[in-house]
Amino acid sequence: MNKQTLFVTLTAAALMCGCQSSKVKISGRFIGSDAKNVYLENASPLKQALIDSAVLGNDGSYRFELKGVSATPSLYNVIYNGERIPLLIAGGDRVTVGSVGSVVRNYTVEGSAESELLRQFYQAFVTGAQRLDNIAAQFAKPDLTEEERKTLVEEYTAEYYRIRREQLRFIIENKASLAAVYALYQRLPGDRYLFNGDSDVVYFRTVAEALEKSYPDSPYLPSLLAEIARMDARNSLTSQISEAGYPDLELTDIYGKKIRLSSLTGKVVLLDFWSAELGSSNALNADLKEIYKKYEDAPVGFEVYQVAIDTSKPLWINAVQEQQLPWVSVSDLRGRGSSALGLYNVRKLPANFLIDKEGTIVARDIYGKSLEEKLDELTK
């Protein structure tokens, strides 16, 4: 999992800041592993670079000393046994970092308020992500009963949304901290957005406004404002596209390939929203497969761009393969948080939109005989 993502780029200005500099000491003990070395990493604008290393003493102790560190906190990682501990370090800090046993689950921080706040978010977030991985791994077990599969789906979904709620709660409650900036950029596996794509700008703007008061000279602030400007511009473009025709989508199929809805221009397209978790999905897809087959040789091509509103990748892939769905199957694995739902104002499932070869939406929520009659007209 990428623990820094875009947050890493926010350190660029910090490295050039002319603020007062001073020494930093980082020390502590790591107990419970055979690893003998500990490393210190600095997050630079373009990459993460190791800047120091130390051999643990017989009691597991280590020590780093840095010079010329800015008074404005910037991101460092202490790396032990292959795991990273993120720290927000400012000149003059005397920080103690250590753990007994699992590094991520058990590490403690003293001497840096921002680093301690970051620990509270980071440990909970990573631990939750590990729980999701463990639940997902259970889908690979042979001979799972339908009841066991349903239970796993419920557990995965509940944990996923719990993590997301806690992440957003942390950001709002600690909006004036640099730890909130770090939390803004963290994503669960398969997530592209913080919450709901277009609405993410609300959280970025909330943190930026708070930082203007708590860290008015922070180099992170202009970076956040630039990100907000990009989001506003993107949202404005999406709005223009919506008025001109249909909102375009670019989502990932079961093989990891990104497919644009607009790549099907020239064909009649059924944009279909469904969920593998819905008990009616098998029957609906079975009916749609019959219609799909009927028009496979029509003069004007017909295609289905089916968006799964799910959070469990194993469940989604399993449903696509078991039902042998022959069309374009995509998902962003964000469930009800999918930005596609907002773009098309979908409030309940199933839902669909029929788009003609010119790219005009000609029908919504059309099924069965009504869909066939409309396809007879559009595919001539």
Side-chain angles (χ1 to χ4, degrees):
M1 181 185 300
N2 188 342
K3 301 300 189 302
Q4 280 68 48
T5 61
L6 295 179
F7 180 80
V8 172
T9 64
L10 300 182
T11 61
L15 300 178
M16 299 182 290
C17 179
C19 302
Q20 179 182 356
S21 300
S22 62
K23 295 181 180 179
V24 167
K25 293 182 180 180
I26 303 173
S27 61
R29 296 176 64 195
F30 288 114
I31 301 172
S33 172
D34 293 333
K36 300 299 182 183
N37 297 296
V38 59
Y39 304 91
L40 184 63
E41 184 178 62
N42 178 231
S44 72
L46 298 179
K47 62 181 180 180
Q48 295 153 211
L50 292 176
I51 58 174
D52 205 351
S53 63
V55 178
L56 296 183
N58 293 333
D59 61 350
S61 62
Y62 71 93
R63 183 184 185 88
F64 294 118
E65 291 191 12
L66 303 176
K67 296 180 180 180
V69 178
S70 170
T72 301
S74 55
L75 184 66
Y76 290 81
N77 294 305
V78 170
I79 306 174
Y80 177 68
N81 199 29
E83 297 187 83
R84 282 180 169 80
I85 298 175
L87 304 172
L88 287 164
I89 301 296
D93 282 348
R94 301 293 185 268
V95 184
T96 302
V97 183
S99 73
V100 177
S102 171
V103 174
V104 170
R105 290 177 182 272
N106 301 326
Y107 82 86
T108 59
V109 178
E110 296 179 1
S112 167
E114 284 282 358
S115 294
E116 166 56 21
L117 193 58
L118 180 53
R119 180 197 65 78
Q120 295 174 25
F121 165 77
Y122 181 72
Q123 283 186 327
F125 186 85
V126 173
T127 300
Q130 290 172 344
R131 290 196 195 103
L132 289 182
D133 289 342
N134 292 337
I135 296 171
Q138 295 182 55
F139 276 91
K141 293 181 179 179
D143 303 323
L144 276 179
T145 67
E146 191 61 33
E147 187 62 30
E148 289 172 333
R149 189 180 299 277
K150 181 180 178 181
T151 298
L152 287 176
V153 170
E154 291 173 351
E155 290 178 0
Y156 189 99
T157 302
E159 181 64 12
Y160 176 89
Y161 284 111
R162 186 196 66 79
I163 296 169
R164 299 298 293 276
R165 287 194 301 270
E166 287 301 305
Q167 182 179 12
L168 296 178
R169 181 192 61 78
F170 180 90
I171 291 169
I172 296 302
E173 291 183 358
N174 301 284
K175 59 187 178 183
S177 72
L178 295 175
V181 181
Y182 184 94
L184 276 174
Y185 288 102
Q186 303 313 298
R187 302 291 180 269
L188 292 170
D191 277 358
R192 181 180 177 184
Y193 300 105
L194 172 66
F195 179 64
N196 195 10
D198 296 341
S199 65
D200 281 1
V201 68
V202 173
Y203 300 99
F204 280 78
R205 186 171 284 117
T206 296
V207 173
E209 290 174 353
L211 286 183
E212 286 180 328
K213 298 178 181 179
S214 59
Y215 290 97
D217 299 322
S218 171
Y220 301 162
L221 186 56
S223 298
L224 277 177
L225 294 175
E227 183 70 19
I228 290 168
R230 285 192 290 270
M231 288 181 174
D232 286 339
R234 186 167 60 245
N235 292 342
S236 176
L237 177 60
T238 297
S239 176
Q240 293 173 20
I241 291 173
S242 300
E243 294 170 3
Y246 59 84
D248 202 4
L249 300 175
E250 185 181 42
L251 300 172
T252 305
D253 68 10
I254 63 175
Y255 304 104
K257 178 183 177 182
K258 289 185 177 295
I259 302 177
R260 280 190 175 275
L261 175 60
S262 59
S263 70
L264 304 177
T265 299
K267 296 182 178 182
V268 177
V269 179
L270 183 70
L271 170 60
D272 186 61
F273 293 87
W274 75 300
S275 171
E277 298 177 21
L278 289 178
S280 60
S281 66
N282 282 16
L284 290 171
N285 281 333
D287 290 341
L288 186 54
K289 283 170 67 175
E290 292 299 319
I291 296 174
Y292 185 85
K293 183 177 181 180
K294 178 179 177 180
Y295 295 94
E296 61 183 357
D297 295 320
V300 176
F302 171 58
E303 188 56 84
V304 176
Y305 188 94
Q306 192 173 59
V307 181
I309 306 303
D310 291 298
T311 58
S312 170
K313 187 173 183 178
L315 177 67
W316 168 51
I317 292 177
N318 186 63
V320 171
Q321 293 179 330
E322 281 192 350
Q323 297 178 37
Q324 297 182 344
L325 304 183
W327 46 69
V328 177
S329 296
V330 294
S331 181
D332 59 9
L333 296 175
R334 300 179 59 244
R336 296 287 177 170
S338 175
S339 59
L341 294 179
L343 284 175
Y344 280 86
N345 194 30
V346 174
R347 300 187 181 278
K348 65 177 182 178
L349 298 177
N352 66 32
F353 298 81
L354 187 62
I355 305 171
D356 68 16
K357 64 180 181 180
E358 281 79 35
T360 301
I361 297 176
V362 296
R364 175 172 182 169
D365 294 336
I366 184 169
Y367 299 92
K369 190 65 176 177
S370 297
L371 175 58
E372 290 187 57
E373 291 174 354
K374 199 66 178 176
L375 288 174
D376 284 341
E377 172 188 337
L378 296 174
T379 59
K380 292 180 179 178

